Amino acid sequence: MLMDVSSEMIHALLPVYLVTVLGTSALAVGVIEGVAEATASIMKVFSGALSDRLGQRKWLAAFGYGLAAATKPIFPLAPSVGWLVAARFIDRIGKGIRGAPRDALVADIAPSHLRGASFGLRQSLDTVGAFLGPGLAIALMWLTANHFQAVFWIAVVPAVLSVVVIVLLVDEPSRHAATGTARIPLSGAALRSLGTAYWITVAISTVFTLARFSEAFLILRAQAVGLPIFLVPLVLVLMNIVYALTSYPIGVLSDRMSRIDLLALGLVVLIAADLVLGLATGIAGVACGVALWGLHMGCTQGVVSAMIADTAPAELRGTAFGVVNLLGGVMLLVASILAGLLWDRAGAQATFLAGAGFSVVALAGIALAYIRLPHR
């Protein structure tokens, strides 16, 4: 949560800062963001595998948080675009390094009967940071009369605190002899040993991601039905509030009933969100669709993480989370490109109806795989 507050304070302002203060083109901003996020997705596979090989997750995750925190002072001090690009790139490397080991560490620490609640809580706090950061950025820009560098310096504080928390307050459990470490986590044999249930979960999650394209299209939809530009950020605020409020209760519920049933429920909610957003003609309808989108995120993201932890061998959990994060990142990029093409050529309605179609495909996949996945 602390690192998300810091990162989102900066990322909420960085595109505007690059274009209006440093004179960067919008195309350059897009390339910077695309390369940065792709780098993070790729790094997650290797950092997760390394945590399995070393049998150590905490210090690898702490290194990722520390690397990201070390880049934060560069943003207010940067004399040119090149420095900002380098800082953004290194920051995303830090995110990639910490992501899979952190999720695997949560799985290692959490009691098996509370695994869903643990991932739900992690997802809730992550989402709290996602809307607190931009909110703080807006308030601080107002208080400092649009002084970008001052806000960037304040963002350093929660980043440093995130490193302090993981170093001083998180204890990594020792590996049992029966668990051990994986010698070559990314070998063909190791990937096959992840098991059928794991790969079925990954396949469903990957198809699911095709329906869950970038939230930028929610903003475009709201603007298209008449939401004033200065209120557009409220779209993501609404989505993230619903997401944060539902992730933990859904996680707790997933420890008491079938996780795959909740995942199926999340897909049904996503179908409803797509239909409402595709057919809405006014701001109220779009707001309802955005709230449903946040609800589907709360019903699925933590649950998928818990299912990965349930199905992957303990000694390969880092690799397992790395693989699913990489495939998810790639499919999100593909989904967003497809959504953009549909939007340009056939309009908003076709975009969201196609999303509903992909959700139906994923739901059919769950139905076919139901007997092969653990019902917990």
Side-chain angles (χ1 to χ4, degrees):
M1 185 190 73
L2 288 167
M3 182 57 77
D4 265 20
V5 168
S6 174
S7 294
E8 294 301 330
M9 284 177 68
I10 292 174
H11 299 165
L13 300 175
L14 190 58
V16 178
Y17 182 67
L18 285 167
V19 173
T20 62
V21 177
L22 297 181
T24 306
S25 69
L27 175 61
V29 172
V31 171
I32 291 168
E33 290 299 308
V35 171
E37 293 303 328
T39 300
S41 294
I42 293 169
M43 287 299 301
K44 286 177 182 178
V45 176
F46 295 103
S47 65
L50 184 60
S51 77
D52 290 333
R53 176 69 184 88
L54 298 176
Q56 295 286 328
R57 309 201 196 279
K58 169 184 171 175
W59 293 108
L60 197 56
F63 176 70
Y65 280 107
L67 192 63
T71 67
K72 297 301 189 271
I74 297 176
F75 289 95
L77 294 173
S80 66
V81 173
W83 279 86
L84 287 174
V85 171
R88 179 78 171 114
F89 186 72
I90 296 170
D91 173 72
R92 295 299 86 179
I93 289 177
K95 179 181 179 180
I97 290 173
R98 70 180 181 256
R102 178 204 59 209
D103 287 344
L105 182 60
V106 171
D108 291 343
I109 292 174
S112 59
H113 67 286
L114 294 176
R115 193 172 284 153
S118 300
F119 279 105
L121 179 61
R122 191 203 72 76
Q123 202 67 58
S124 286
L125 294 177
D126 183 85
T127 310
V128 166
F131 66 77
L132 274 184
L136 284 172
I138 292 169
L140 290 169
M141 286 291 281
W142 179 73
L143 289 172
T144 62
N146 294 331
H147 196 293
F148 284 94
Q149 285 85 358
V151 179
F152 290 164
W153 274 119
I154 294 171
V156 174
V157 177
V160 172
L161 288 176
S162 73
V163 180
V164 172
V165 168
I166 192 168
V167 170
L168 298 183
L169 301 181
V170 176
D171 294 321
E172 180 163 15
S174 58
R175 295 291 185 92
H176 297 294
T179 301
T181 61
R183 294 185 61 188
I184 310 177
L186 288 176
S187 67
L191 293 177
R192 285 192 296 273
S193 72
L194 286 169
T196 302
Y198 167 78
W199 287 110
I200 290 174
T201 303
V202 170
I204 292 171
S205 174
T206 301
V207 175
F208 189 6
T209 305
L210 275 174
R212 191 178 58 82
F213 39 74
S214 170
E215 282 82 22
F217 292 96
L218 305 183
I219 294 173
L220 292 176
R221 189 72 180 106
Q223 189 176 358
V225 298
L227 186 69
I229 292 177
F230 75 95
L231 292 177
V232 160
L234 291 178
V235 172
L236 294 187
V237 171
L238 173 60
M239 188 205 77
N240 282 313
I241 286 175
V242 176
Y243 186 8
L245 290 176
T246 56
S247 289
Y248 179 63
I250 291 294
V252 172
L253 189 60
S254 78
D255 290 324
R256 301 175 182 177
M257 61 178 288
S258 169
R259 302 202 211 281
I260 192 170
D261 288 346
L262 284 172
L263 187 60
L265 174 62
L267 281 166
V268 172
V269 173
L270 179 55
I271 292 169
D274 280 323
L275 292 176
V276 171
L277 287 165
L279 301 175
T281 57
I283 294 174
V286 169
C288 180
V290 169
L292 286 170
W293 193 282
L295 177 59
H296 108 264
M297 295 285 283
C299 286
T300 58
Q301 299 308 292
V303 172
V304 168
S305 294
M307 288 173 67
I308 295 298
D310 289 341
T311 55
E315 70 275 12
L316 287 171
R317 278 178 181 150
T319 304
F321 279 106
V323 169
V324 77
N325 283 325
L326 173 62
L327 294 176
V330 171
M331 295 309 292
L332 184 58
L333 176 60
V334 171
S336 297
I337 292 172
L338 289 174
L341 288 172
L342 279 170
W343 190 286
D344 288 339
R345 296 184 180 183
Q349 187 175 89
T351 301
F352 287 105
L353 292 180
F358 281 119
S359 297
V360 171
V361 171
L363 195 57
I366 285 182
L368 292 173
Y370 194 82
I371 60 173
R372 302 295 299 273
L373 291 171
H375 294 198
R376 48 164 310 176

